Amino acid sequence: MVNMKNLYLYHIIYESMTACLKQFICLLILLSPHIAIANEVLPPKKVNWPFEGAFGTVDRKAAQRGFQVYKEVCAACHGLYNLYYRNLKDLGFSDAEIKEIAKSYTIQDGPNDLGEMFERAALPSDHFSRPYPNEQAARAANNGAYPPDLSLIIKARSNGANYLYSLLTGYTNPPDHFKLMTGLHYNPYFPGSQLAMPAPLTDGQVSYIDGTEASVEQMAMDVTNFLQWAAEPEMENRKSLGLKVILFLVVFTIFFVISKNRIWQNVK
Ligand code: HEC
């Protein structure tokens, strides 16, 4: 026999649970535009880079200008520790120029004979100098955020070159509905659309040695070329070795087919 009292109880529980579920779904539908906007990330802009593709090479003029942008703007907050000053030779700087560049930085060395650390001018054989002695100092100077080392940043982000270019050129005012947290800056290309780095580039910020006009787009393009080279200085060697290997395999295959046909030609 069915217990009417239990049946009634189950009915009430079922009704209240579906009502709750309906309310929750309504709330999600109401909030969804805000949730979507909060997490909106624009896909990076598409740029045709000279280093792309099997035959792509480093645009050395652009990378040299990019080094100037890094040195005069980004190096205030970001390290590039994987590079040595002597690596700049690959970009077309002469030994004397590299010596001069290195000399303008002071680095800590030691210990000396008394066991003390000391400071000296950097040499071409030194790593690029770091803007902060450690992560804590970097965070303390940047509102708690850590400006990452840029040595491998192009490799560390998906679609790295296009992403970096878009990030540097993507700062705008936030839309009305956007809740910008204090100390952060709006940029729709950064996941979450806000980051601790203020827009680092403004038109004319750098006076290019070669006279190129320093628009934000130009500087972003140049510094991306430079950081792509920094992340993969061996790229050109890698590509030319790959092409040689493929050429060798093609020639080898032709000889292989000819000799196979000769060896087996009398066998019916
Ligand atoms: C005033 C200091 C400062 C300067 C100058 C600066 N940055 Fe930053 N940068 C930061 C901080 C702080 C962060 C961390 C942001 C965060 O995580 O919210 C950052 C983050 C980044 C990131 C990482 C973004 C990501 O996806 O995580 C890149 C790339 C970057 N900066 C490139 C540059 C380049 C290139 C320049 C020079 C044109 C530059 N920055 C100049 C402070 C700076």
Side-chain angles (χ1 to χ4, degrees):
M1 232 198 77
V2 182
N3 184 335
M4 286 307 284
K5 209 171 144 197
N6 279 355
L7 204 62
Y8 184 58
L9 207 66
Y10 289 148
H11 179 72
I12 289 182
I13 292 173
Y14 173 75
E15 279 296 321
S16 52
M17 276 176 73
T18 47
C20 269
L21 200 66
K22 275 181 201 160
Q23 278 182 5
F24 181 62
I25 290 171
C26 285
L27 198 71
L28 270 187
I29 291 170
L30 278 176
L31 284 179
S32 60
H34 297 276
I35 294 168
I37 286 161
N39 295 325
E40 192 178 280
V41 186
L42 287 185
K45 303 172 193 174
K46 175 86 193 77
V47 180
N48 285 328
W49 299 103
F51 47 78
E52 274 174 347
F55 300 99
T57 52
V58 178
D59 178 346
R60 290 191 160 62
K61 286 267 163 290
Q64 282 194 13
R65 287 194 300 270
F67 169 63
Q68 195 183 341
V69 176
Y70 168 74
K71 190 160 76 95
E72 294 180 16
V73 185
C74 324
C77 303
H78 292 278
L80 201 52
Y81 196 66
N82 284 12
L83 281 193
Y84 296 88
Y85 292 108
R86 62 176 152 80
N87 294 141
L88 290 172
K89 198 162 181 184
D90 188 34
L91 283 189
F93 288 96
S94 69
D95 287 337
E97 284 171 328
I98 294 172
K99 247 186 190 158
E100 278 306 306
I101 292 168
K103 227 167 79 180
S104 61
Y105 295 92
T106 306
I107 61 160
Q108 197 184 49
D109 199 353
N112 62 13
D113 293 345
L114 299 172
E116 288 159 356
M117 302 304 277
F118 60 93
E119 295 200 326
R120 64 163 171 82
L123 294 169
S125 55
D126 284 316
H127 284 278
F128 270 44
S129 87
R130 287 172 160 146
Y132 304 106
N134 49 54
E135 186 178 332
Q136 286 79 353
R139 284 188 189 279
N142 287 285
N143 238 339
Y146 179 57
D149 187 279
L150 296 182
S151 306
L152 293 171
I153 199 78
I154 298 278
K155 300 262 152 211
R157 297 286 176 276
S158 89
N159 199 357
N162 286 329
Y163 167 70
L164 178 61
Y165 175 80
S166 309
L167 186 75
L168 294 175
T169 55
Y171 284 88
T172 51
N173 291 328
D176 292 340
H177 59 259
F178 192 83
K179 274 201 145 200
L180 194 63
M181 285 157 73
T182 40
L184 297 190
H185 309 268
Y186 181 73
N187 191 319
Y189 295 97
F190 187 78
S193 300
Q194 46 187 329
L195 77 167
M197 171 167 72
L201 299 171
T202 48
D203 285 331
Q205 190 168 358
V206 165
S207 299
Y208 276 132
I209 298 168
D210 67 1
T212 306
E213 198 189 318
S215 62
V216 168
E217 286 77 18
Q218 181 70 47
M219 288 183 287
M221 193 91 98
D222 291 342
V223 83
T224 306
N225 271 298
F226 170 66
L227 290 175
Q228 152 64 35
W229 167 80
E232 207 186 352
E234 79 290 353
M235 179 196 72
E236 287 177 343
N237 286 343
R238 172 171 64 76
K239 285 181 181 170
S240 80
L241 181 67
L243 286 173
K244 280 179 204 149
V245 169
I246 287 175
L247 198 70
F248 169 79
L249 287 176
V250 168
V251 173
F252 178 78
T253 311
I254 292 169
F255 278 116
F256 183 76
V257 170
I258 291 171
S259 51
K260 179 242 164 203
N261 286 346
R262 284 204 174 177
I263 290 166
W264 292 90
Q265 67 186 347
N266 295 329
V267 180
K268 291 268 177 313

